[in-house]
Amino acid sequence: MWLRPTRYRSSNGNALQIEVPSVHFRDWIQSNCMDKIRDAVNQTHGTPLNVEFIVGSEIVGALSAEETATAETLPGVDHFSTPFNAKYTFENFIVGESNRFAHAAAMSVADPESRAYNPLFIYGGSGVGKTHLMHAIGLRLKEKAPHLKVLYATSEQFFNSFINTVYRAMQSSKVDPTSFRSLYRGVDLLMIDDIQFFIGKEGTQTEFFHTFNALYDAGKKIVISSDRPPMELTTLEERLKSRFMWGLNVDIQAPDLETRIAILTRKARAANIAISPEVIFFVAERVQSNVRNLEGALNRLQAHAALDNRSISMELAQGALVDLVVTPSGPKIQVDDINQEVCNYFSIRLHELIGPGRQKKYAMARHVAMYLCRKMTDLSLPDLAARFGGRNHTTVLHACKKIERDLQKDTNLQNIVNFIERAVRGANS
Ligand code: ADP
Ligand code: MG
């Protein structure tokens, strides 16, 4: 991976020059392979030569280690074009207090005559309608001005496509990174979704920076979405962040109660789901976080009703959504709450639960705690591993699997787990 992209550049009596794709390659090779390289040069050449590295400036800016690693594993994908989701239109977008401003700005960008708000930077939590609005812009602009070139890419697609062309260009002179560049720089509107994914990917940021400048200078439109405002994209290059501030930054909040009711009503009607205003209110009051979860709740009600061949009553809703709904003021369940209840149950101390002790009593309690944390919080395995004394995340996975398996046959364990789970929920409400 590190050596294959290197090239012989030139040599004279004292020095051998090797071309490398980036400073990361140079640094890695210098700290890991210099002895072997010197030996090989010595053997081949007969006398020692200085080995110098030239960073192949004509190829690309520096790639981060993560980018280089990805380049190795990425299949040869070609340039893509994401078709817009025909349902993500402005007509289907329900406007409320939480998204009014973002919606208005998006409408303006979608107007071929308008030059306002460039770039438009939309940010907000997951499932609040960022992607929907971007698709709506694309669909509207294509409809009003079919000759315009509109490109929507997730930042992952941009990243993959960039790495692919650039990496292939490093390996073979036949691949030309300009194809990638002309694709992205030749559009009238470029939309990049979830830009927070660029964090830590320096080469991609540099490339995007140049893409941005080329488009901006040519008076083309740019729309970007992110899960947080530009200033909070901590390790994103300053020059990129400052460009994001040039245009308009708008946020989308979680929908308020009226909007949630409106969304549920509209979506139920569109899907031909018979549901009373009381049940809509019940769902809207309990599912607060985002629109995606509202849709999920509605789908679930419909599925339950279809399975049992019943209509959607309040009783059915209460049953079907029992684990999905969050009590309106109920705080999120924390790892600490779970661990505390586990410690109470097993009469051990927190440091014994988290610590390295392998006695059966600790190990059992630890497995139960890991299982419940996995079940009751939305932390990832690596996050959980970190909360359990920096263990490996596969340890957490094994613990969860083990408890899941044992729960199938061990009624005593079932009682323990249920008891602790109830205690956690009780302490939380
Ligand atoms: P994000 O990109 O912010 O994570 P999405 O745009 O993917 O969220 O939205 C999640 C789901 O919720 C989609 O199915 C989308 O159509 C729907 N949705 C979000 N906001 C609205 C809205 N204001 N009106 C109607 N549907 C919405
Ligand atoms: Mg999205």
Side-chain angles (χ1 to χ4, degrees):
M1 166 177 165
W2 293 101
L3 298 179
R4 208 182 307 126
T6 61
R7 296 268 177 284
Y8 167 81
R9 176 68 88 75
S10 65
S11 66
N12 55 36
N14 321 316
L16 170 71
Q17 294 189 322
I18 299 175
E19 187 177 307
V20 291
S22 75
V23 289
H24 293 279
F25 277 77
R26 180 195 64 203
D27 295 348
W28 193 90
I29 293 170
Q30 275 180 339
S31 35
N32 292 282
C33 315
M34 276 323 284
D35 290 345
K36 284 200 178 113
I37 293 177
R38 282 205 198 90
D39 284 353
V41 169
N42 210 348
Q43 270 182 21
T44 324
H45 190 253
T47 53
L49 283 179
N50 282 333
V51 178
E52 293 167 0
F53 291 96
I54 311 282
V55 176
S57 53
E58 77 276 21
I59 308 182
V60 260
L63 292 191
S64 69
E66 188 183 351
E67 289 169 317
T68 326
T70 311
E72 258 306 297
T73 55
L74 212 63
V77 288
D78 276 323
H79 296 305
F80 57 87
S81 79
T82 310
F84 293 116
N85 183 334
K87 288 194 187 135
Y88 288 179
T89 58
F90 281 121
E91 289 74 24
N92 289 341
F93 190 85
I94 293 144
V95 183
E97 279 319 307
S98 58
N99 57 27
R100 190 179 302 288
F101 199 29
H103 172 261
M107 292 274 278
S108 166
V109 172
D111 176 355
E113 305 302 318
S114 160
R115 296 260 147 263
Y117 312 137
N118 206 28
L120 174 62
F121 189 100
I122 305 174
Y123 64 93
S126 147
V128 292
K130 302 181 296 294
T131 300
H132 187 133
L133 275 184
M134 290 176 117
H135 282 236
I137 294 172
L139 288 165
R140 174 66 59 87
L141 200 65
K142 282 303 255 180
E143 173 197 315
K144 288 208 168 165
H147 61 283
L148 292 183
K149 285 201 211 111
V150 178
L151 182 56
Y152 162 92
T154 64
S155 48
E156 220 161 342
Q157 287 169 325
F158 182 92
F159 165 77
N160 286 348
S161 172
F162 161 69
I163 291 294
N164 226 316
T165 30
V166 166
Y167 186 71
R168 297 220 305 267
M170 291 184 322
Q171 290 184 312
S172 137
S173 54
K174 276 183 236 137
V175 180
D176 177 7
T178 55
S179 63
F180 169 83
R181 294 191 172 136
S182 55
L183 173 77
Y184 277 96
R185 297 181 193 181
V187 298
D188 298 291
L189 166 65
L190 176 65
M191 294 188 278
I192 303 286
D193 205 351
D194 288 325
I195 198 110
Q196 71 277 0
F197 185 77
F198 281 179
I199 286 177
K201 302 185 171 70
E202 285 94 31
T204 313
Q205 289 179 29
T206 307
E207 182 65 31
F208 181 68
F209 177 74
H210 293 303
T211 309
F212 184 103
N213 289 343
L215 289 172
Y216 189 88
D217 292 344
K220 309 299 188 186
K221 298 183 183 187
I222 302 156
V223 180
I224 293 152
S225 84
S226 162
D227 67 351
R228 62 201 96 166
M231 277 312 150
E232 286 173 26
L233 290 162
T234 37
T235 68
L236 208 68
E237 285 189 43
E238 284 304 323
R239 53 182 191 172
L240 257 182
K241 278 192 249 182
S242 71
R243 269 163 182 73
F244 294 161
M245 309 293 282
W246 283 357
L248 181 70
N249 295 186
V250 284
D251 69 332
I252 308 186
Q253 304 276 341
D256 53 37
L257 182 65
E258 284 85 62
T259 316
R260 297 200 298 277
I261 291 174
I263 288 172
L264 286 168
T265 312
R266 273 273 291 276
K267 300 222 176 228
R269 201 181 306 141
N272 258 326
I273 302 172
I275 178 170
S276 69
E278 290 72 40
V279 176
I280 295 241
F281 188 81
F282 171 82
V283 178
E285 217 182 23
R286 279 158 186 80
V287 183
Q288 304 188 342
S289 47
N290 64 44
V291 183
R292 190 174 293 131
N293 289 351
L294 284 175
E295 291 180 339
L298 201 57
N299 289 340
R300 198 190 281 209
L301 290 185
Q302 191 185 21
H304 275 252
L307 275 178
D308 303 350
N309 203 9
R310 290 195 288 162
S311 58
I312 301 177
S313 62
M314 191 62 130
E315 195 198 345
L316 181 136
Q318 277 163 345
L321 301 182
V322 69
D323 60 323
L324 195 134
V325 296
V326 285
T327 27
S329 55
K332 268 181 113 163
I333 288 166
Q334 307 287 342
V335 169
D336 292 343
D337 304 334
I338 297 170
N339 287 352
Q340 193 50 58
E341 294 300 338
V342 171
C343 286
N344 291 351
Y345 183 88
F346 288 97
S347 303
I348 60 174
R349 309 272 282 269
L350 197 58
H351 69 266
E352 294 166 330
L353 179 75
I354 307 288
R358 284 170 181 274
Q359 281 123 293
K360 195 151 183 254
K361 157 164 117 168
Y362 303 148
M364 166 77 169
R366 198 174 293 140
H367 289 163
V368 169
M370 287 174 174
Y371 167 83
L372 283 173
C373 286
R374 180 82 176 137
K375 181 174 170 194
M376 300 175 81
T377 72
D378 46 20
L379 291 180
S380 67
L381 286 172
D383 285 342
L384 282 178
R387 303 296 298 269
F388 282 88
R391 289 177 157 80
N392 193 301
H393 74 270
T394 51
T395 311
V396 181
L397 185 64
H398 286 313
C400 297
K401 291 230 163 102
K402 179 178 175 356
I403 297 293
E404 268 165 30
R405 241 186 354 257
D406 294 350
L407 277 174
Q408 309 269 334
K409 43 187 196 289
D410 185 344
T411 46
N412 189 31
L413 182 65
Q414 285 166 13
N415 290 336
I416 295 174
V417 168
N418 285 340
F419 179 87
I420 299 174
E421 195 176 331
R422 271 201 309 278
V424 173
R425 291 198 195 280
N428 243 277
S429 60

